[in-house]
Amino acid sequence: MNTEAYRFPDIFQTYYEIAALPSVRFLAEILENETEAGRLAIEDAILAANVFISMVVSGPVRFIVAGNSLADEDVDRRVRFAVDLFLKGAEPR
């Protein structure tokens, strides 16, 4: 879907709204709650949620789809690194 998005932007937008946006909104709500509680400092929760998902999900998926293999421990390492990096970057200053 992502590869052909430039040719079929309407289909991609519909796909995003059905498949990804509910997860993005759910995560954005969590980020907003954590920001209100003072544990994070997120200015744009929807943007932050999209970036988080790109870091945690899209990175490993692209690597695997490209024909590379990742052992479970490598996937776990990459996901933990991305989550840690994101959360440290979102800490209040």
Side-chain angles (χ1 to χ4, degrees):
M1 188 61 66
N2 289 340
T3 305
E4 296 296 324
Y6 74 97
R7 290 178 22 166
F8 305 101
D10 293 342
I11 293 173
F12 178 78
Q13 184 62 34
T14 300
Y15 166 76
Y16 174 78
E17 289 171 3
I18 293 170
L21 193 54
S23 296
V24 170
R25 286 187 175 140
F26 174 75
L27 181 55
E29 184 178 330
I30 292 170
L31 296 174
E32 286 170 346
N33 291 341
E34 292 300 305
T35 295
E36 289 172 10
R39 291 184 286 269
L40 295 177
I42 302 286
E43 292 180 24
D44 184 335
I46 292 289
L47 178 60
N50 274 297
V51 169
F52 179 84
I53 290 171
S54 290
M55 291 171 63
V56 174
V57 178
S58 299
V61 167
R62 277 193 215 118
F63 191 80
I64 293 167
V65 168
N68 301 295
S69 63
L70 276 177
D72 289 348
E73 55 271 3
D74 291 332
V75 172
D76 185 63
R77 185 174 148 264
R78 287 170 178 260
V79 169
R80 288 179 186 278
F81 179 84
V83 169
D84 188 51
L85 182 66
F86 178 87
L87 290 175
K88 284 183 181 173
E91 288 177 345
R93 293 176 175 39

